[in-house]
Amino acid sequence: MGGAVSAGEDNDELIDNLKEAQYIRTELVEQAFRAVDRGDYYLEEFKDNAYKDLAWKHGNIHLSAPCIYSEVMEALDLQPGLSFLNLGSGTGYLSSMVGLILGPFGVNHGVELHSDVTEYAKQKLDFFIKTSDSFDKFEFCEPSFVTGNCLEISPDCTQYDRVYCGAGVQKEHEDYMKNLLKVGGILVMPLEEKLTKITRTGPSAWETKKILAVSFAPLIQPNHADSGKSSLVHLPPVAVRSLQDLARIAIRGTIKKIIHQEAMSKNGNGLKNTPRFKRRRVRRRRMETIVFLDKEVFASRISNPSDDNNNSEDMEDETQDEEETKPSELKPDPPVNFLREKVLSLPLPDPLKYYLLYYREK
């Protein structure tokens, strides 16, 4: 599933392509996608495919295509403070992006069938919190993952504002999924080969919208052959934030406001300098021709005639690009984490500084 947009060389280029193809349509979703590097959720030996618009599966580990996640994020209509349930949470990639939008007072739960994938997701979450350059730009709603079959969620669990299911849902389980929603909530799931958005408009009222055709592996049915008993999945309790956490959120928010005010006064009119984006080089697609001759195979790469006509233009474009970039051969300085610098400059004990920085490594 996927292949709707061109491959990117890095995460930002992948997002540029998704925006150009209208899969990412809102600024909030774009910010979340740029903040969480898709490549970080791949095993090292498969990272070459991380920025292609393709699904990836290795053993039990699975990632949907970026275009699918884009449509899901847009359809969920996420807002700060909402509660979110991810059924088939996998690597935690989607849950982490959602957590950046939900903010510190949201709820972010995931249910994953395979225990090894749950552990993988926890490792990736820890890596994101400790090393991501983007983490300090947000107040994060950290996901909590549990292992179990999402068709066996305890009936006494709370209902959620937003629910996503990452596996094909059979028609017989549609009502089960709907009952996980609060009134006013949104459910997004693959139903009968269509990515479907269902909004609960009342206790027994629903609005359904088909988004796009998809192909997902079906939900795995519960297996009670061994014990004959159901293994109910108990979701994490919705707990009130501790006083410590509330203090950290308030302090970080105050420091961010101070940094913003300093930036405005420094720039005079409050307008930030235009960020410099790296120049993207347009690639011309070429056809690969395979010739069979005397039971031997010869593969050759030939240009489309129209490409040949434009060849000189391409060369001129590339030369012009290079000339434009020569005066500024110096690469842009790495982004400065002003929040981190400000916290480290405070007259506080080191353990308290590190606590405010979530014990991050960068």
Side-chain angles (χ1 to χ4, degrees):
M1 196 64 218
V5 301
S6 302
E9 292 184 357
D10 57 24
N11 196 64
D12 279 327
E13 197 166 301
L14 171 64
I15 308 314
D16 290 342
N17 294 337
L18 290 168
K19 279 188 67 184
E20 187 177 346
Q22 289 293 302
Y23 284 101
I24 293 178
R25 299 179 289 277
T26 59
E27 185 178 352
L28 207 57
V29 171
E30 178 187 351
Q31 289 174 351
F33 267 87
R34 291 197 188 278
V36 184
D37 194 316
R38 181 177 169 89
D40 290 341
Y41 291 79
Y42 274 66
L43 293 170
E44 194 64 37
E45 59 266 36
F46 299 103
K47 280 194 174 182
D48 288 346
N49 295 320
Y51 308 114
K52 296 177 181 177
D53 189 29
L54 297 171
W56 172 64
K57 192 175 191 306
H58 180 76
N60 293 326
I61 301 171
H62 177 263
L63 276 167
S64 293
C67 67
I68 300 297
Y69 284 132
S70 305
E71 288 288 1
V72 169
M73 290 280 285
E74 293 287 358
L76 285 170
D77 189 21
L78 297 162
Q79 300 165 32
L82 296 180
S83 56
F84 172 66
L85 177 62
N86 189 355
L87 304 174
S89 49
T91 64
Y93 171 63
L94 177 67
S95 292
S96 292
M97 289 193 291
V98 170
L100 296 175
I101 298 176
L102 297 183
F105 304 113
V107 174
N108 195 354
H109 294 163
V111 180
E112 169 55 43
L113 181 65
H114 304 287
S115 58
D116 59 329
V117 182
T118 303
E119 288 307 309
Y120 184 85
K122 290 177 180 178
Q123 292 170 14
K124 293 302 179 183
L125 173 62
D126 187 59
F127 180 81
F128 171 70
I129 292 174
K130 288 183 176 179
T131 68
S132 170
D133 289 326
S134 304
F135 180 82
D136 283 326
K137 296 177 183 176
F138 302 83
E139 290 302 327
F140 190 45
C141 181
E142 187 173 330
S144 296
F145 303 113
V146 297
T147 303
N149 191 307
C150 65
L151 292 174
E152 296 185 300
I153 293 175
S154 175
D156 60 357
C157 82
T158 183
Q159 292 177 315
Y160 291 79
D161 296 302
R162 301 290 185 267
V163 177
Y164 170 66
C165 181
V169 177
Q170 293 86 352
K171 191 67 177 175
E172 63 197 80
H173 295 128
E174 181 179 355
D175 289 340
Y176 170 89
M177 295 293 176
K178 287 178 176 179
N179 287 330
L180 296 171
L181 275 184
K182 294 179 181 178
V183 173
I186 295 173
L187 164 67
V188 178
M189 62 181 177
L191 181 66
E192 297 181 318
E193 301 298 310
K194 295 284 192 300
L195 189 65
T196 306
K197 175 180 178 178
I198 299 176
T199 305
R200 187 169 194 171
T201 57
S204 302
W206 317 85
E207 287 181 359
T208 301
K209 178 184 177 183
K210 304 292 184 182
I211 301 173
L212 77 163
V214 292
S215 178
F216 277 66
L219 282 170
I220 295 177
Q221 304 300 310
N223 184 4
H224 305 144
D226 296 334
S227 62
K229 293 183 180 179
S230 173
S231 302
L232 289 180
V233 176
H234 296 279
L235 295 168
V238 180
V240 177
R241 285 273 192 175
S242 68
L243 184 58
Q244 258 188 334
D245 276 348
L246 293 173
R248 173 161 59 184
I249 293 164
I251 293 169
R252 284 168 62 93
T254 301
I255 294 173
K256 284 180 179 179
K257 286 180 182 177
I258 293 171
I259 293 169
H260 179 66
Q261 289 168 357
E262 289 176 351
M264 288 184 67
S265 59
K266 195 173 182 180
N267 293 333
N269 58 3
L271 295 176
K272 295 183 180 179
N273 294 328
T274 305
R276 288 188 293 174
F277 296 100
K278 64 179 183 182
R279 181 176 297 278
R280 294 177 58 200
R281 180 169 293 175
V282 178
R283 295 181 184 146
R284 305 293 179 185
R285 292 191 177 184
R286 289 177 168 79
M287 298 173 59
E288 286 189 1
T289 302
I290 300 177
V291 181
F292 293 87
L293 182 62
D294 294 334
K295 297 183 181 179
E296 293 187 18
V297 180
F298 297 87
S300 62
R301 187 181 294 273
I302 63 173
S303 300
N304 197 328
S306 61
D307 288 341
D308 291 336
N309 294 335
N310 295 327
N311 208 23
S312 58
E313 293 178 19
D314 294 344
M315 292 289 290
E316 289 175 7
D317 291 344
E318 290 182 6
T319 305
Q320 188 176 354
D321 287 348
E322 290 172 5
E323 288 175 355
E324 289 178 5
T325 55
K326 272 183 183 177
S328 57
E329 278 184 0
L330 294 175
K331 291 182 180 179
D333 294 330
V336 179
N337 190 329
F338 294 106
L339 178 66
R340 180 180 179 82
E341 288 189 350
K342 183 69 79 174
V343 169
L344 292 177
S345 69
L346 294 173
L348 297 172
D350 284 347
L352 183 52
K353 293 179 184 178
Y354 298 142
Y355 173 75
L356 289 173
L357 293 170
Y358 286 86
Y359 304 98
R360 303 192 66 234
E361 292 174 0
K362 284 192 178 182

